[in-house]
């Protein structure tokens, strides 16, 4: 018997692991899934943030959220994370690769960050960013995906970005009164990582298709968090809808991609950026 629409979106009894779970969007991903019955594991490098976020979500939804401190760049720590989640909840059904080093515009504006122009981008920054955003996603996918393959069921969602589809327009970061050499930029690692996650999505979707694993990517645009008006005007001029996203606007898409509502969807990138990549 076919499921109803409500049943397709239901996640009762499912357990989701969300990397970067205590961050702005990671927290929102957890809200979306817990509202429809899922247990959520918020993975973060900061123990206090993870536990605090999990406690808030458990109280808000009268459900089960677990905060776990894990360095996702360590295979041993990710293995321990998997074992801990299975012991605590008895199963794992969903992985959201959300963690990333992502400097905000306010940080890019600082004088000490000007070395992050491409010509002088520090090798250590490159290695640190790639380690979290790509290597961390690879390790989590390898370990949790192997578990899913053994269960013949699982959903993997990679959080990419519109800058994984188009190049950043560095003009929106320009500041008056300083030389071209001093102008701040969006770091190269962000584009490389978010593009790489789309490639990982396609690879996993085909590699484990016969194991009941679906892997898709969400391609969001920027989220409004009080950015300064000069930057905001430059950016929104590049977006047909004329605004950035609100923090809650990706929740329905995450729910769709993690539930049986998207059961016949794999290897795809769901673009949700106000139309920016149309131009």
């Amino acid at each position: 018997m076919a499921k109803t629409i409500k049943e397709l979106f239901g996640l009762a009894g499912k357990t989701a692991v969300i990397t970067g779970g205590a961050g702005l969007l990671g927290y929102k991903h957890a809200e979306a899934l817990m509202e429809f019955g899922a247990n959520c594991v918020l993975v973060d490098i900061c123990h206090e943030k993870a536990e605090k976020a999990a406690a808030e979500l458990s109280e808000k939804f009268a459900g089960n959220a677990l905060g776990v401190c894990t360095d996702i760049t360590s295979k041993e720590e990710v293995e321990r994370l998997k074992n801990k989640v299975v012991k605590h909840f008895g199963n794992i059904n969903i992985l959201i690769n959300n963690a990333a080093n992502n400097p905000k515009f306010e940080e890019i504006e600082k004088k000490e960050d000007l070395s992050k122009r491409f010509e002088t981008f520090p090798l250590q920054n490159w290695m640190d960013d790639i380690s979290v955003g790509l290597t961390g996603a690879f390790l989590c996918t390898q370990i949790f995906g192997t578990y899913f393959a053994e269960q013949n069921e699982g959903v993997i969602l990679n959080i990419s970005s519109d800058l994984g589809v188009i190049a950043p327009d560095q003009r929106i970061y320009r500041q008056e009164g300083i030389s071209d050499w001093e102008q701040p930029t969006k770091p190269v690692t962000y584009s490389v990582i978010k593009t790489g996650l789309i490639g990982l999505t396609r690879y996993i979707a085909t590699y484990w298709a016969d194991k009941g694993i679906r892997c898709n990517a969400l391609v969001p645009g920027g989220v409004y968090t009080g950015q300064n008006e000069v930057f905001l005007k430059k950016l929104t001029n590049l977006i047909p809808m004329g605004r950035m996203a609100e923090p809650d606007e990706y929740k329905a898409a995450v729910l769709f991609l993690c539930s049986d509502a998207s059961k016949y969807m794999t290897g795809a990138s769901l673009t949700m950026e106000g139309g920016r990549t149309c131009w």
Side-chain angles (χ1 to χ4, degrees):
M1 183 177 176
K3 290 184 177 181
T4 65
I5 294 295
K6 185 176 181 179
E7 288 171 334
L8 287 171
F9 281 98
L11 294 171
K14 304 284 188 179
T15 299
V17 173
I18 306 170
T19 68
L24 174 65
L25 285 185
Y27 189 92
K28 293 297 180 181
H29 302 336
E31 282 187 325
L33 303 188
M34 289 189 70
E35 185 173 344
F36 281 74
N39 305 313
C40 282
V41 181
L42 278 62
V43 181
D44 205 275
I45 196 65
C46 178
H47 182 70
E48 289 184 4
K49 283 179 63 179
E51 285 203 330
K52 181 175 183 290
E56 289 176 356
L57 287 165
S58 292
E59 182 177 356
K60 183 173 183 179
F61 294 102
N64 289 311
L66 179 68
V68 182
C69 177
T70 300
D71 178 2
I72 63 169
T73 69
S74 164
K75 187 171 185 176
E76 292 73 21
E77 288 203 29
V78 177
E79 285 278 11
R80 284 196 292 270
L81 169 66
K82 181 203 73 175
N83 294 336
K84 182 172 184 175
V85 176
V86 171
K87 183 177 180 180
H88 188 88
F89 288 114
N91 67 325
I92 311 169
N93 311 92
I94 300 162
L95 167 67
I96 302 181
N97 286 313
N98 173 77
N101 291 340
N102 179 22
K104 303 298 185 290
F105 179 65
E106 290 78 8
E107 297 168 351
I108 293 172
E109 286 184 310
K110 295 177 182 177
K111 192 75 172 179
E112 59 266 28
D113 285 328
L114 295 177
S115 63
K116 294 183 181 178
R117 290 187 61 83
F118 182 78
E119 296 88 340
T120 55
F121 194 84
L123 178 60
Q124 192 60 53
N125 284 77
W126 170 274
M127 294 174 68
D128 289 345
D129 292 351
I130 296 292
S131 183
V132 174
L134 271 184
T135 304
F138 159 73
L139 288 174
C140 288
T141 300
Q142 184 182 62
I143 291 166
F144 288 98
T146 299
Y147 170 86
F148 293 159
E150 292 168 352
Q151 308 300 310
N152 286 302
E153 179 186 13
V155 173
I156 299 171
L157 175 59
N158 294 318
I159 306 301
S160 181
S161 165
D162 53 3
L163 298 187
V165 178
I166 59 173
D169 188 336
Q170 304 292 2
R171 293 172 298 181
I172 67 176
Y173 304 107
R174 288 188 66 86
Q175 299 175 11
E176 296 295 328
I178 61 176
S179 68
D180 287 346
W181 180 249
E182 294 177 306
Q183 293 293 342
T185 60
K186 188 71 173 179
V188 60
T189 44
Y190 190 78
S191 290
V192 171
I193 289 164
K194 295 305 185 181
T195 302
L197 287 173
I198 293 174
L200 178 65
T201 297
R202 294 171 180 151
Y203 185 93
I204 295 302
T206 54
Y207 184 81
W208 272 324
D210 62 340
K211 297 296 184 182
I213 296 173
R214 297 191 300 105
C215 183
N216 292 296
L218 178 64
V219 181
V223 177
Y224 179 70
T225 55
Q227 290 88 342
N228 74 62
E229 289 300 319
V230 174
F231 170 77
L232 199 60
K233 183 177 180 180
K234 290 179 181 178
L235 175 58
T236 54
N237 280 340
L238 302 176
I239 302 171
M241 290 185 72
R243 65 177 180 85
M244 298 181 74
E246 295 296 332
D248 284 336
E249 286 190 296
Y250 297 119
K251 290 167 67 174
V254 169
L255 174 63
F256 169 71
L257 291 168
C258 290
S259 69
D260 281 351
S262 60
K263 197 172 183 179
Y264 193 56
M265 184 175 179
T266 194
S269 297
L270 180 59
T271 305
M272 195 174 180
E273 30 58 306
R276 184 178 179 185
T277 60
C278 294
W279 276 343

